[in-house]
Amino acid sequence: YGSTRPERILAEVKRKATRGDARSVVDTIDQYCRHQEWAMNVGDEKGTILDSIVCEVKPMAMLELGTYCGYSAVRIASLLPPNSRLITMEFNPVFAAIARQVIAWAGVEDKVVLIEGPSGDWIPKMKKEFGLTSFDLVFLDHWKDCYLPDTKLMEECGLLRTGSILVADNVICPGAPDYLEYVRGSPRYESKYFRSHLEYTRVEDGIEKSVFLG
Ligand SMILES: CNc1ncnc2c1ncn2[C@@H]1O[C@H](/C=C/CNC(=O)c2cc(-c3ccc(F)cc3)cc(O)c2O)[C@H](F)[C@H]1O
Ligand SMILES: [Mg+2]
């Protein structure tokens, strides 16, 4: 049932996950996408790497580009310190509507602000709209050819400070070659690759963690 994959994922969450239990929402989506139908969530293996970085950084202000069904938004929000916020951007209204319900089911809606719109329009407005100075941590998981332009836009808009950390999914599969070349070649970033696998598969993929040096 449900005409789209995100709708079927939401139906599974409502059927199987415990309301208010973020972990059970994450596990339900992982089970479904591993055994029923694949979907482009960061997944359990790369998710563990993301978790360790979120726990290490303890961001007060975090940005995610590309919400999709809200899997990583729930995963991240469940680890955020009190009073910290995840702002997540999604420009597909169907995905945004599903993600809002997944985030609500997990009981993390007071930690997540979902912005419906394109990152290119919203990044220049972030400071004013949210009274932000900068982001401590940014998770890039949207269109792979937008990682680099959006990173440059965040730099230009002064949303990165010395020590801000960028975490990029899929730097191998599907790949973000121009982004990788930029963060690995630039003296303004200290970059590190975490080898892993494409969600729910044995295909190689990985996460790139890049510290902005200012
Ligand atoms: C450009 N600005 C945007 N602003 C707001 N929301 C956006 C923007 N751009 C996209 N969105 C939103 O962000 C999401 C896009 C996610 C894209 N992700 C992938 O393509 C992706 C693909 C694979 C994959 C690997 C192997 C294979 F065989 C098939 C697929 C694996 C992955 O983990 C991925 O993340 C959403 F769909 C879109 O509306
Ligand atoms: Mg991804």
Side-chain angles (χ1 to χ4, degrees), residues 1-14:
Y1 37 82
S3 60
T4 68
R5 185 168 311 191
E7 280 166 352
R8 291 193 291 273
I9 288 171
L10 174 61
E12 185 75 357
V13 164
K14 288 181 172 174

Side-chain angles (χ1 to χ4, degrees), residues 50 53 57 62-63 65 135-141 147-148 150-155 159-161 163-169 171 179 182-183 188-194 207-213:
L50 177 62
I53 296 169
V57 175
M62 182 162 179
L63 175 65
L65 299 178
F135 285 109
D136 305 309
L137 187 53
V138 182
F139 180 48
L140 299 99
D141 195 20
Y147 283 17
L148 182 53
D150 281 351
T151 296
K152 289 181 172 172
L153 190 56
M154 286 188 285
E155 288 174 13
L159 284 168
L160 303 179
R161 53 145 172 96
S164 289
I165 293 176
L166 304 182
V167 177
D169 189 24
V171 293
Y179 173 81
Y182 181 73
V183 290
R188 301 180 73 189
Y189 288 92
E190 184 59 47
S191 217
K192 184 177 178 210
Y193 174 65
F194 292 76
I207 278 188
E208 189 84 0
K209 175 190 174 190
S210 307
V211 185
F212 185 61
L213 304 172

Side-chain angles (χ1 to χ4, degrees), residues 10-133:
L10 174 61
E12 185 75 357
V13 164
K14 288 181 172 174
R15 225 153 47 95
K16 296 274 185 62
T18 309
R19 197 193 269 271
D21 179 345
R23 229 21 267 185
S24 83
V25 168
V26 166
D27 294 340
T28 298
I29 295 174
D30 281 331
Q31 282 299 314
Y32 182 74
C33 295
R34 182 178 289 282
H35 301 298
Q36 307 303 321
E37 59 175 330
W38 187 92
M40 59 182 176
N41 316 118
V42 71
D44 43 357
E45 195 180 317
K46 288 184 289 178
T48 306
I49 299 166
L50 177 62
D51 292 351
S52 61
I53 296 169
V54 172
C55 292
E56 170 206 335
V57 175
K58 294 184 179 51
M60 290 313 289
M62 182 162 179
L63 175 65
E64 172 182 67
L65 299 178
T67 317
Y68 188 45
C69 294
Y71 171 92
S72 46
V74 167
R75 201 170 175 125
I76 291 163
S78 70
L79 299 172
L80 288 180
N83 304 322
S84 73
R85 286 285 173 286
L86 169 70
I87 296 173
T88 182
M89 276 184 217
E90 175 54 61
F91 66 11
N92 180 314
V94 173
F95 296 163
I98 298 288
R100 288 190 201 287
Q101 295 173 74
V102 169
I103 288 161
W105 193 272
V108 293
E109 63 271 47
D110 59 353
K111 289 195 168 287
V112 180
V113 177
L114 196 159
I115 300 177
E116 202 169 318
S119 52
D121 293 4
W122 272 97
I123 286 172
K125 294 191 285 190
M126 296 304 281
K127 285 196 172 214
K128 273 193 305 301
E129 295 287 321
F130 292 90
L132 277 166
T133 49

